[in-house]
């Protein structure tokens, strides 16, 4: 069996297949197309395209934050592991995940919160930064509360927590706030790989 081994050719062919099978992508602005194609490429699922919801200012605000050398806060290390380190370094962007910090674990035990909730609270005002939540609905619920209460003002929230308990609801809450630009995937689908793919799509721009 013959198969393609050139990474560039594989990606180019993959994107062509995506465009052929999801013609509705042509209706989106070019940069939003890039994000949705990355998500489809990551999941291998054409049907996820209509579930992707992108705030009108999301791309602009995200790119501006990256060019400023913002900090990217992630809820879990799996998101962190999926980010393109070469691009992060190129733009002077620091990516952080504190889920495994002993102080986070201690605070979670003391308060009865999840560690993901504690990491959001400990992140501070997040002024002009990008928050990427790919796993924990409790992190997104907490961040939404911080935004609503004026305690946090990130440049962009990428919220794609996955699962059957709270994931869909947390993303609905993010969209309903309409106080910060967001990129999300509606419903129960999501995950760390999708969250990382969205960040990388922005970095590649």
């Amino acid at each position: 069996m013959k198969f393609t081994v050139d990474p560039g050719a594989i990606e180019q062919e993959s994107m062509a297949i995506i465009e052929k099978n999801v013609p509705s992508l042509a209706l989106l602005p070019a940069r939003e197309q890039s994000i949705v194609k990355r998500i489809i490429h990551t999941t291998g699922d054409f049907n996820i395209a209509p579930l992707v919801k992108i705030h009108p200012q999301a791309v602009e605000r995200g790119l501006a934050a990256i060019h400023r050398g913002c900090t990217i806060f992630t809820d879990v290390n799996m998101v962190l592991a999926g980010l393109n380190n070469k691009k992060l370094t190129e733009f002077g962007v620091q990516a952080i995940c504190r889920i495994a910090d002993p102080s986070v674990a201690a605070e979670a035990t003391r308060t009865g919160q999840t560690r993901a909730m504690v990491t959001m609270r400990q992140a501070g005002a997040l002024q002009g930064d990008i928050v990427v939540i790919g796993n924990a609905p409790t992190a997104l619920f907490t961040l939404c509360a911080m935004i609503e209460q004026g305690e946090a003002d990130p440049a962009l929230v990428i919220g794609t927590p996955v699962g059957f308990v709270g994931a869909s609801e947390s993303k609905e809450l993010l969209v309903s706030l309409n106080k910060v630009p967001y990129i999300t995937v509606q419903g129960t689908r999501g995950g760390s790989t999708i969250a990382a793919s969205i960040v990388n799509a922005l970095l590649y721009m």
Side-chain angles (χ1 to χ4, degrees):
M1 176 184 292
K2 293 184 178 180
F3 55 92
T4 306
V5 297
D6 178 7
I10 291 170
E11 180 168 333
Q12 186 175 6
E13 184 177 353
S14 295
M15 293 305 170
I17 291 170
I18 291 169
E19 290 170 2
K20 179 181 178 181
N21 283 272
V22 191
S24 60
L25 284 172
L27 301 175
L28 297 174
R31 286 172 168 175
E32 292 187 14
Q33 284 186 43
S34 296
I35 291 170
V36 178
K37 284 195 287 187
R38 284 282 164 196
I39 293 172
I40 296 170
H41 187 244
T42 296
T43 59
D45 183 5
F46 299 127
N47 296 319
I48 201 169
L51 301 177
V52 180
K53 194 166 183 66
I54 302 174
H55 185 281
Q57 296 178 353
V59 175
E60 179 184 350
R61 290 282 298 276
L63 291 177
I66 289 169
H67 282 288
R68 286 196 307 271
C70 69
T71 299
I72 295 176
F73 288 88
T74 74
D75 63 329
V76 291
N77 283 311
M78 283 189 68
V79 176
L80 200 63
L83 303 184
N84 186 313
N85 285 318
K86 182 178 179 181
K87 286 291 184 181
L88 292 174
T89 301
E90 181 181 331
F91 291 109
V93 172
Q94 182 180 18
I96 296 174
C97 179
R98 296 197 173 109
I99 195 78
D101 286 7
S103 63
V104 169
E107 180 69 6
T109 299
R110 186 184 70 81
T111 61
Q113 301 177 78
T114 68
R115 286 187 295 163
M117 295 171 72
V118 173
T119 58
M120 287 298 107
R121 288 290 179 190
Q122 289 190 356
L126 298 162
Q127 183 74 40
D129 292 322
I130 297 175
V131 183
V132 188
I133 298 173
N135 182 75
T138 56
L140 189 52
F141 277 125
T142 300
L143 178 62
C144 286
M146 292 168 64
I147 293 169
E148 183 68 17
Q149 294 160 13
E151 298 172 358
D153 185 26
L156 172 65
V157 177
I158 296 171
T160 63
V162 62
F164 302 102
V165 180
S168 179
E169 293 83 356
S170 67
K171 291 179 281 190
E172 289 174 5
L173 178 59
L174 173 64
V175 172
S176 70
L177 289 181
N178 205 31
K179 290 193 172 186
V180 296
Y182 56 79
I183 301 173
T184 189
V185 176
Q186 296 174 301
T188 58
R189 299 186 196 184
S192 299
T193 53
I194 290 178
S197 75
I198 294 170
V199 177
N200 288 336
L202 292 171
L203 291 170
Y204 296 147
M205 291 179 198

